[in-house]
Structure formats: structure tokens, C-alpha cells
């Protein structure tokens, strides 16, 4: 199929950011990476968000509404001008993943019943806490219930399945998303505490998946001296990469913390590249075909 056909009919996935909730540079941080990113805009990284685009249906969706939502929506619009935002899917109620919803209210976009796909726990959080409750009360957003594990069509060419994953549940449960297009399947998992605490076996789960974007918050368990890593558990990239050695699916890492050495050229990037894996960057896109 030609590229122009895909741009008219294809199902596309577009990565709009790749950093952990605080982005890069992170507020109040003067580490080498954050200082470098303040000097050089090319080194900045927006918080992770994924756009799903159905070119035939002329519609797009965002998985997660981040603090970088204004820039990310502009990027999506520039990439697919014929596909306006038709909804938002949320993973969980940590600040990097939903606070961009503020832009949907009366003060900014004043959207009319924009569908926001959420689990029951996430819906309860939004309904019972301001300012999110106001978005519901004024019908700027219309909450659409999702059942973990249940495939849900959002357009003729796109089916999403929320997949429950273990993650610090202060305010909500946490979902990863399986995204099925007509011919290819994509997995998006920005936050998980431990692969071993998950109901699924990672290798088996990914065997029918073509591309996976996985939690790459930390490269190793020793990169945050002075912080108790048990309070902010994430599977280190080194462990995940070893676990997935020989996997058939293409594996990229997202949700990178500002401390992650993969943000800079160096031996850690070489180590990952030698395993055929990569780190996600805003602007990367994949067609799931039609
Ligand atoms: Zn996060
Ligand atoms: Zn920093
Ligand atoms: Zn989180």
C-alpha cells in the first residue's frame, strides 16, 4: 500500500512524548540532563502520550492527557489535520497522565461532551474531586466506562483493550492499553511496578504484539541515590530487556525519568541497541494498516 493511501485510509499510532510525569527538564532540578535540556530545546522531552489516528474515520484519540497537552495537541493536529480529537483514554490518576484535562474546561477549549474512556475507579476519582468534577458537571467531558480486559471498538478500524497492571494505586487503578488495528497490534504500558506482580507473563503476552512501548522510567535500580526505590518501583530497563531477549516484537522504552542515562549518548544506549531495542521519541509513528 502506498504512503498516500495510508494517510487517507490507514490506522496510525503517533508518539507525542516519552518522559516520566515530570518531563525533562524537571522543575527544580539542576542535574546535567535537566541543565542541558534547558540550554538546548532539542534535548527536552514531553511527558509520554500516545495518539491513535483513524485517517478514514477522520478522527484521533489521545492515550493520557499530560501537562504537555497544549503542545501535544498542536503536534497531533499538525500531523493529522483532517483528524480532530475525538476522545481521550486515561491510564491512571498520577499527575503526568490526566492533569492535561484542565484544558478541556470552560477556561480553555470548552469541549462539548468529549468522550473520556476510564475504568470505574478512575471515573469515581474524576467525579468526586475538583476541578475534574466540574468537567463532568458542565458536560465538557462525557465519561465512557471501560472494563479491564474487554476489547472496546472506538472506530471502525481501531479496537482498544485496557489491561490492568500493578502500580501504586493511591487514587485509581492503572491500565496499559492494547491497540489493535486491522493488521497490527500495539502495546502501550507507561507505568508498572513489577512484571512479576502482573497477572500476565510478559513474554507470552507480547508474542502476538508487533510493537511494544514499555515503562523505561529507570535504566537501573541504582540511578537515584538518596531515594528509596521501594517507594517508586519500576522494572529497570536492564531487567526488562534481559527478560525480552529474543522476543519477536519490536520493543521501545518510554516514561524515562530525568535521571535515566538513556537520555544521553553513552554505553547504556549502546547496550540497549545491541539488544535490538530502542527508546521512544516524540514524532515516532507506526501504521497498523487498513
Ligand atoms: Zn507516570
Ligand atoms: Zn534532572
Ligand atoms: Zn504512575
Amino acid at each position: 500500500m502506498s504512503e498516500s493511501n495510508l494517510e487517507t485510509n490507514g490506522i496510525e499510532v503517533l508518539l507525542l512524548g516519552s518522559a516520566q510525569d515530570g518531563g525533562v527538564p524537571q522543575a527544580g532540578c539542576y542535574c546535567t540532563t535537566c541543565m542541558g535540556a534547558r540550554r538546548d530545546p532539542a534535548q527536552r522531552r514531553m511527558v509520554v502520550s500516545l495518539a491513535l489516528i483513524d485517517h478514514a474515520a477522520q478522527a484521533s484519540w489521545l492515550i493520557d492527557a499530560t501537562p504537555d497537552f497544549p503542545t501535544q495537541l498542536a503536534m497531533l493536529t499538525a500531523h493529522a489535520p483532517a483528524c480532530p480529537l475525538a476522545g481521550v483514554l486515561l491510564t491512571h490518576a498520577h499527575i503526568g497522565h490526566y492533569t492535561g484535562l484542565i484544558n478541556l474546561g470552560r477556561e480553555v477549549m470548552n469541549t462539548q461532551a468529549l468522550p473520556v474512556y476510564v475504568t470505574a475507579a478512575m471515573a469515581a476519582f474524576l467525579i468526586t474531586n475538583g476541578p475534574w468534577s466540574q468537567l463532568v458537571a458542565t458536560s465538557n467531558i462525557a465519561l465512557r466506562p471501560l472494563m479491564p480486559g474487554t476489547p472496546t471498538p472506538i472506530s471502525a478500524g481501531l479496537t482498544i483493550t485496557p489491561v490492568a497492571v500493578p502500580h501504586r494505586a493511591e487514587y485509581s487503578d492503572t491500565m496499559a492499553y492494547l491497540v489493535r488495528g486491522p493488521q497490527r497490534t500495539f502495546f502501550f504500558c507507561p507505568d508498572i511496578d513489577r512484571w512479576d506482580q502482573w497477572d500476565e507473563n510478559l513474554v507470552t503476552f507480547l508474542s502476538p504484539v508487533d510493537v511494544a512501548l514499555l515503562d523505561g522510567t529507570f535504566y537501573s535500580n541504582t540511578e537515584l541515590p538518596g531515594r528509596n526505590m521501594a517507594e517508586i518501583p519500576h522494572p529497570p530497563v536492564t531487567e526488562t530487556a534481559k527478560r525480552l531477549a529474543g522476543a519477536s516484537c519490536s520493543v521501545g522504552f518510554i516514561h524515562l525519568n530525568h535521571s535515566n542515562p538513556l537520555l544521553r549518548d553513552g554505553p547504556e544506549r549502546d547496550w540497549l541497541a545491541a539488544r535490538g531495542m530502542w527508546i521512544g521519541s516524540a514524532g515516532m509513528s507506526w501504521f497498523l494498516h487498513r
Side-chain angles (χ1 to χ4, degrees):
M1 197 183 302
S2 77
E3 195 65 15
S4 62
N5 267 346
L6 284 171
E7 278 164 14
T8 316
N9 295 312
I11 301 289
E12 190 180 14
V13 172
L14 170 69
L15 187 59
L16 293 170
S18 54
Q20 174 266 7
D21 299 46
V24 179
Q26 196 163 102
C29 184
Y30 296 91
C31 75
T32 311
T33 298
C34 290
M35 291 291 278
R38 279 189 200 97
R39 276 193 304 272
D40 176 11
Q43 292 180 43
R44 292 179 194 161
R45 287 194 178 244
M46 291 188 286
V47 179
V48 64
S49 172
L50 189 73
L52 315 178
I53 305 165
D54 184 334
H55 288 278
Q58 299 201 319
S60 62
W61 296 261
L62 283 177
I63 302 185
D64 282 345
T66 84
D68 292 313
F69 178 92
T71 308
Q72 291 173 322
L73 182 62
M75 205 174 148
L76 170 58
T77 305
H79 186 90
C83 302
L85 187 67
V88 176
L89 297 78
L90 297 178
T91 60
H92 67 302
H94 283 157
I95 59 136
H97 301 269
Y98 77 99
T99 54
L101 292 178
I102 53 172
N103 297 286
L104 304 179
R106 284 174 168 163
E107 300 88 337
V108 191
M109 291 173 71
N110 194 30
T111 54
Q112 303 299 312
L114 186 77
V116 175
Y117 296 84
V118 285
T119 61
M122 187 74 205
F125 172 79
L126 295 174
I127 289 166
T128 54
N129 290 283
W132 327 110
S133 52
Q134 190 179 26
L135 297 173
V136 179
T138 56
S139 296
N140 290 125
I141 65 175
L143 298 179
R144 297 279 179 88
L146 285 177
M147 283 290 291
T150 303
T152 306
I154 56 171
S155 78
L158 265 171
T159 297
I160 55 96
T161 307
V163 180
V165 293
H167 183 50
R168 297 175 289 116
E170 293 96 343
Y171 298 115
S172 71
D173 47 10
T174 298
M175 298 299 119
Y177 282 95
L178 258 182
V179 179
R180 286 207 179 84
Q183 275 125 37
R184 301 183 84 202
T185 300
F186 202 94
F187 183 55
F188 177 73
C189 180
D191 261 301
I192 186 168
D193 287 358
R194 294 272 175 260
W195 298 119
D196 287 336
Q197 290 167 5
W198 191 26
D199 301 337
E200 305 281 349
N201 173 283
L202 179 64
V203 174
T204 313
F205 184 87
L206 291 184
S207 63
V209 170
D210 297 286
V211 183
L213 288 175
L214 304 178
D215 181 340
T217 310
F218 302 120
Y219 180 74
S220 74
N221 261 334
T222 56
E223 76 188 55
L224 273 191
R227 285 289 290 270
N228 178 1
M229 299 299 274
E231 288 173 358
I232 39 172
H234 292 274
V237 168
T238 49
E239 182 207 306
T240 305
K242 283 178 192 160
R243 204 176 271 249
L244 288 174
S248 58
C249 105
S250 180
V251 176
F253 290 92
I254 51 169
H255 199 265
L256 305 183
N257 196 54
H258 66 118
S259 60
N260 193 319
L262 290 170
L263 291 168
R264 304 180 293 274
D265 278 331
E268 294 86 359
R269 272 194 185 177
D270 297 342
W271 184 90
L272 192 64
R275 279 151 187 80
M277 299 176 194
W278 38 277
I279 56 170
S281 287
M284 285 181 168
S285 73
W286 300 263
F287 277 99
L288 308 185
H289 302 293
R290 172 143 2 232

